Amino acid sequence: MTATRVDTTRAGAPDDIVTAASRPAADVLAELGVIAELGRTAEEVLRGQAKWGPNAVSSHRARLLPVLWHQLRSPLLGLLLAAAVASALFGQRGDAIIIAAIVLVSVGLGCANEYRAERAAEALHSRIRHGSGVLRDGVRSTVDVTGLVPGDVVELRLGDVVPADLRLLSVTGLECDESVLTGESLPVDKSTGPVPPGTPLADLSGAALMGTVVRAGSGVGVVVATGARTRFGSIAAGLDTHPLDTEFQVGLRKFSLLLVYVGGALTTAIFLANILLDKPILDALLFSLAIAVGITPQLLPAVVSTSLAAGSRRMSRRRVLVKRLVCIEDLGNVDVLFTDKTGTLTEGRVQYVRAVPGASDTSAEVLRWGLSCTEAAARTGGGSPLDQALWAAPAAAGLPTTTPVATLPFDHDRRMVSVLTRDAAGASTMVTKGAPETVLERCVAVPAKARDALAAEFAAGNRVVAVAVRPMGDRTALTPEDERGLRLSGFLVFLDPPKRDAAAALRRLADLGIAVKVVTGDNAAVAVKVCRDLGLAGGGALTGADIDALDDDALAAAIPETTVFARVGPEHKARIVRVRRRGATGVAFLGDGVNDALALHAADVGVSVDSATDVAKDAADVILLDKDLGVLADGVVEGRRIFANTIKYVLMGTSSNFGNMASAAVASLFLPFLPMLPSQILLNNLLYDTSQLAIPTDHVDEEQLRRPSHWDIAFIRRFMLRFGPLSSVFDLATFGLLLWVLHAGPEEFHTGWFVESLATQTLVIFAIRTRTVPFFRSHPSLPLALSAVGVAVIGAVLPATPIAHALGFRPLPPAFYALLAGMVVGYLVLIEIGKRYFYRAQPVPPPAVPPASRGLRRRARRFSTATPTPRRTGVPR
């Protein structure tokens, strides 16, 4: 009997998953017009994509207008516009024009830098791919999940994130974790039979729902709904899917609030004091607004965005992708790395070496049983690396294998796979293959020589798989309870040698202050041998059973003294990470399997690889295109460099800039005129901020790269209280010079202090950027040096330009510049002396423990595109 296709792009439409699950699978296929053995044709896929759009719930497209709107709704911009309007209304048109020009330049700089960062994020997102196995035109292939359409026939394997709402067609021990939708922590058994109409979402056994995870078994299903029409998509589309803030962003916000409180208190006090002193209300208002703007670091977001965008490009060239730009900085906060062994410390190219008989079987018989006990994918080049190595071995060529009848797929609880086979005579045998400790527990009469042989292989650092058999009579199906009373056939031995460059990468991570710990499902002796060969020694080993015997406090005490965690399951890995986070600055976890997902979620920074399982890539923050600890070290250095340069801008704003604004505020109470016009303060602040845009290019001292970095508001507050007054001392000296030596009038005073304040607050970057002696032991980048010196020169020559009169400036005598040079040198020397005493007395801050933040938002980022996603509500009929 042949099936007839019906083009659903013209006739039937995809069904709601609840309704589809209540109908026989054959009826759903008929309505969709698809043949299960063939899948969609290429022409049908194109028509379906045109009609239903991408299988996505959000987009990562950089758009200029939202970026511009983000700049325009800044409270600081409102203050500036209010000052411009007030100036125009009271006849100060020159000030109004200057302030308006400053607004345009500030918005333009911020918008350009933020848009560049958005473009960098878009480029990164477009390189992260999530594939799905699909049957099209009768050929199995892997396509991007966003390209799926209703009617596609999709294959599900262990570790896959279900790519759409599927009506299941066939299953083999399939279990799905649906906690992201239902909150139920236990996996749900799946089948192909219909459920009663109106069955709740949590009981749809005949369907696999988008965003859920395959925890065991395998299956095949037909796509019923995609994108926002899925149950997952409808929930995600109704949420604010903006990612939760990282520790870096929280620190930025706390710092901004600190300056808001300080600036608000200062400007309010100055405004009230000027009113009480009978100063003109407009002058007092505009001056107070200018002080508020001057204290606030308007271009801090631009500096951060520029740093992150440049860092992402450098990391991308090193084949490291970050899902969010701020994750780069979080990498710099890491001081403990938990990593798996295979492919990270070892080559990851497993080679079959030999078969070791356990008792009566020969080596050839052990190998034959091992070949028979493989899932279907391994026979066609897929499956686990161990199975692939087994089938690719020359010794396997020509060996007769039995016919598979039923399979119990591998899972990380049983740590084994069983296959029911039938030979030519019709006799059925169950072959079980898996972790030696687990398989031996289910065997009877294991010879002592077999245990000795196993111990010798482990001691040599080889990977070992045990093979056991059991006659099954005329059975046609298997259950986990059948995996008992086995006869040991023997062991399959594999070699996965250490990477040649792993030892150097481990030494580099150690130099960065990062403790590396190996978390593996392999035997402890094998993992310890590999670590010893690579120079990662000095710590003990704990097994999953050992961890189960420890409470959290005891485990927390054991982790620093332990290098290897062996024979651990997913819950063990996640618990190790959670416990360690209680006492570490930042914890990273590197893994690529379905059993790593819980730990990746629990870590401060989850790291996976491009070849990882879907659920591992979904849980990770950072994707390595090459599984190499060396490139991960590059990422850590980049994160620390970005944080160090961001802190340079912060410390600049809380020292010289803050000191200058405080000096101006205090001087306004005693001078018969304002120490600087509001428009001049704003111009001064714009030129100063412009010079700081080169900070992201600056070099960072090696000492700062060797330790984790994190926000410490108390440190910033102490820095402000120490160096802000030093800046004010030189401002007051300038006031005395202008008033009592040069006998300056109001305009000359404005000009002189503008030049001096701009020079000191820009050139002090050379002292603040390093904890060592500038220029001799630490050199600034060329762009930073040119921008700082260039802005200081612009400020010095501005009074002699044709626009000086419009800005309220007057030419200064040559003697002033000679005195200014001496004052700048004296100021920098004083800062150096203060810096030495400040850092000598600086206490070591306690480690920061950032909160965990994971959930549906992270899963939703998987189903996103770089193009706009049309919003649809409901389920089309």
Side-chain angles (χ1 to χ4, degrees):
M1 182 169 130
T2 59
T4 304
R5 287 188 181 273
V6 178
D7 187 354
T8 62
T9 61
R10 294 194 299 267
D15 215 337
D16 173 66
I17 189 60
V18 176
T19 304
S22 67
R23 301 170 60 194
D27 292 352
V28 176
L29 287 169
E31 182 175 348
L32 289 166
V34 64
I35 302 172
E37 295 77 17
L38 297 178
R40 286 288 189 208
T41 66
E43 183 181 354
E44 288 173 345
V45 169
L46 291 176
R47 284 201 297 267
Q49 289 172 344
K51 180 173 183 178
W52 303 111
N55 179 34
V57 297
S58 63
S59 68
H60 279 255
R61 187 185 182 192
R63 291 174 292 175
L64 184 59
L65 288 180
V67 171
L68 179 60
W69 172 243
H70 181 261
Q71 295 292 323
L72 294 177
R73 63 194 184 110
S74 166
L76 291 175
L77 184 62
L79 287 177
L80 290 172
L81 292 177
V85 171
S87 297
L89 291 176
F90 286 89
Q92 304 288 336
R93 293 186 177 179
D95 285 351
I97 293 174
I98 292 173
I99 294 173
I102 291 172
V103 168
L104 289 176
V105 174
S106 180
V107 170
L109 285 173
C111 186
N113 280 280
E114 186 175 344
Y115 184 66
R116 286 181 62 194
E118 290 285 334
R119 291 290 300 272
E122 178 185 326
L124 285 175
H125 181 267
S126 66
R127 294 186 62 182
I128 299 175
R129 299 292 182 184
H130 297 284
S132 177
V134 66
L135 183 67
R136 288 177 177 172
D137 287 318
V139 178
R140 288 177 173 83
S141 61
T142 300
V143 301
D144 194 275
V145 294
T146 60
L148 293 178
V149 297
D152 266 328
V153 176
V154 174
E155 297 178 338
L156 298 177
R157 296 189 182 93
L158 180 66
D160 285 353
V161 175
V162 179
D165 281 354
L166 308 179
R167 177 61 172 92
L168 293 172
L169 306 177
S170 64
V171 298
T172 303
L174 182 64
E175 296 180 5
C176 290
D177 177 356
E178 298 181 345
S179 58
V180 71
L181 291 177
T182 66
E184 175 58 52
S185 59
L186 296 177
V188 178
D189 292 328
K190 295 297 180 178
S191 62
T192 58
V195 298
T199 297
L201 197 67
D203 297 325
L204 296 181
S205 59
L209 304 174
M210 181 187 199
T212 62
V213 179
V214 177
R215 288 299 183 195
S218 59
V220 176
V222 61
V223 175
V224 171
T226 58
R229 295 174 298 278
T230 64
R231 290 308 171 106
F232 177 87
S234 63
I235 295 173
L239 289 176
D240 173 17
T241 54
H242 180 74
L244 300 177
D245 286 345
T246 66
E247 186 207 357
F248 180 62
Q249 292 169 307
V250 171
L252 281 176
R253 186 168 61 249
K254 288 181 179 178
F255 167 68
S256 300
L257 287 175
L258 171 66
L259 289 191
V260 166
Y261 294 145
V262 173
L266 182 61
T267 53
T268 301
I270 293 304
F271 176 72
L272 294 176
N274 276 271
I275 294 299
L276 293 176
L277 293 172
D278 294 327
K279 300 282 181 74
I281 294 180
L282 177 62
D283 289 349
L285 175 62
L286 295 179
F287 183 75
S288 299
L289 290 176
I291 291 293
V293 173
I295 288 177
T296 309
Q298 300 100 306
L299 293 186
L300 178 59
V303 170
V304 173
S305 296
T306 302
S307 296
L308 293 174
S312 71
R313 288 191 291 271
R314 284 192 290 267
M315 292 181 67
S316 180
R317 288 194 291 269
R318 293 180 172 89
R319 298 179 61 76
V320 180
L321 305 181
V322 289
K323 290 185 178 179
R324 298 170 60 196
L325 293 180
V326 291
C327 293
I328 301 173
E329 196 283 329
D330 286 341
L331 265 178
N333 204 30
V334 168
D335 66 356
V336 177
L337 169 66
F338 293 97
T339 178
D340 61 355
K341 174 177 64 69
T342 304
T344 307
L345 302 180
T346 64
E347 290 290 346
R349 294 191 294 270
V350 183
Q351 302 171 4
Y352 169 73
V353 178
R354 59 182 169 273
V356 178
S360 57
D361 288 354
T362 66
S363 297
E365 288 174 323
V366 175
L367 177 57
R368 181 175 67 84
W369 286 124
L371 291 170
S372 299
C373 186
T374 52
E375 298 183 52
R379 302 170 188 260
T380 57
S384 73
L386 292 175
D387 282 344
Q388 293 179 35
L390 200 60
W391 281 91
L399 278 180
T401 59
T402 52
T403 304
V405 177
T407 302
L408 276 179
F410 176 89
D411 65 56
H412 294 281
D413 293 324
R414 292 166 38 251
R415 293 192 296 169
M416 62 178 67
V417 57
S418 293
V419 175
L420 184 64
T421 67
R422 183 171 296 149
D423 59 20
S428 294
T429 303
M430 182 182 71
V431 187
T432 298
K433 183 173 68 179
E437 298 92 334
T438 309
V439 173
L440 292 183
E441 288 177 357
R442 290 163 168 77
C443 290
V444 294
V446 178
K449 69 173 185 178
R451 296 186 184 275
D452 294 339
L454 176 63
E457 296 294 346
F458 280 153
N462 295 325
R463 298 187 67 176
V464 183
V465 173
V467 181
V469 297
R470 175 188 170 187
M472 297 298 289
D474 58 355
R475 291 279 298 276
T476 59
L478 292 178
T479 66
E481 287 71 26
D482 294 324
E483 296 172 325
R484 296 289 186 275
L486 307 178
R487 178 182 66 82
L488 178 66
S489 174
F491 305 106
L492 301 172
V493 181
F494 299 85
L495 177 64
D496 186 11
K499 276 187 175 180
R500 287 173 293 180
D501 57 354
L506 289 171
R507 286 194 298 270
R508 187 179 175 201
L509 288 170
D511 292 340
L512 293 172
I514 298 175
V516 178
K517 299 181 181 299
V518 177
V519 183
T520 178
D522 209 341
N523 179 268
V526 175
V528 169
K529 174 69 164 54
V530 172
C531 291
R532 188 181 300 117
D533 291 344
L534 294 173
L536 187 63
L542 287 177
T543 65
D546 297 330
I547 294 170
D548 289 335
L550 301 175
D551 61 20
D552 284 355
D553 291 336
L555 180 58
I559 288 175
E561 308 302 323
T562 304
T563 301
V564 172
F565 300 87
R567 292 300 192 209
V568 290
E571 290 77 14
H572 292 128
K573 296 181 181 182
R575 184 182 171 214
I576 292 168
V577 171
R578 282 196 301 268
V579 170
R580 182 54 184 160
R581 286 186 71 209
R582 292 170 14 187
T585 302
V587 175
F589 186 92
L590 192 161
D592 60 0
V594 63
N595 58 328
D596 297 319
L598 291 176
L600 287 166
H601 274 290
D604 296 307
V605 182
V607 184
S608 194
V609 294
D610 194 41
S611 58
T613 59
D614 284 355
V615 68
K617 285 201 292 185
D618 177 61
D621 303 295
V622 178
I623 304 294
L624 307 181
L625 298 183
D626 297 316
K627 198 172 184 181
D628 184 357
L629 289 179
V631 297
L632 185 60
D634 291 337
V636 171
V637 170
E638 197 61 51
R640 294 180 183 179
R641 177 180 290 113
I642 290 171
F643 184 86
N645 283 335
T646 302
I647 287 295
K648 291 174 188 177
Y649 180 85
V650 168
L651 297 182
M652 287 286 289
T654 55
S655 56
S656 62
N657 191 36
F658 174 76
N660 285 344
M661 294 301 102
S663 301
V666 174
S668 69
L669 302 178
F670 304 102
L671 293 174
F673 51 83
L674 293 176
M676 199 185 298
L677 298 178
S679 59
Q680 293 169 345
I681 291 177
L682 297 176
L683 177 61
N684 181 296
N685 192 61
L686 177 65
L687 290 173
Y688 159 77
D689 271 342
T690 302
S691 72
Q692 305 308 296
L693 285 176
I695 284 180
T697 70
D698 193 25
H699 308 306
V700 177
D701 296 343
E702 286 296 324
E703 292 80 1
Q704 290 180 270
L705 298 178
R706 289 180 187 149
R707 60 182 182 275
S709 52
H710 61 87
W711 284 96
D712 184 359
I713 298 301
F715 165 78
I716 296 171
R717 189 184 303 114
R718 288 193 297 271
F719 194 94
M720 178 174 65
L721 295 177
R722 174 69 61 87
F723 292 95
L726 289 180
S727 177
S728 295
V729 167
F730 274 82
D731 289 332
L732 296 176
T734 303
F735 295 164
L737 172 67
L738 292 169
L739 290 173
W740 299 318
V741 177
L742 300 179
H743 306 289
E747 291 184 338
E748 288 79 8
F749 188 97
H750 297 158
T751 306
W753 189 53
F754 177 91
V755 173
E756 184 272 344
S757 65
L758 186 60
T760 54
Q761 69 180 346
T762 54
L763 296 178
V764 77
I765 182 61
F766 297 125
I768 289 178
R769 60 170 295 276
T770 177
R771 296 189 178 192
T772 63
V773 180
F775 297 109
F776 293 99
R777 296 181 59 189
S778 178
H779 302 281
S781 68
L782 181 60
L784 179 62
L786 293 177
S787 66
V789 174
V791 165
V793 171
I794 289 173
V797 302
L798 200 56
T801 62
I803 62 172
H805 181 74
L807 297 173
F809 295 140
R810 289 291 180 271
L812 295 170
F816 171 80
Y817 290 102
L819 293 172
L820 173 65
M823 293 183 67
V824 169
V825 172
Y827 174 57
L828 295 180
V829 170
L830 183 61
I831 290 293
E832 273 299 308
I833 295 173
K835 186 178 71 175
R836 180 161 300 184
Y837 283 102
F838 176 80
Y839 286 119
R840 185 178 298 170
Q842 173 64 22
V844 177
V849 183
S853 58
R854 303 289 188 264
L856 188 143
R857 289 174 176 84
R858 169 176 278 182
R859 184 65 50 80
R861 293 204 302 270
R862 171 186 181 82
F863 302 102
S864 57
T865 65
T867 56
T869 302
R871 292 181 63 90
R872 297 183 177 90
T873 57
V875 181
R877 293 288 179 187

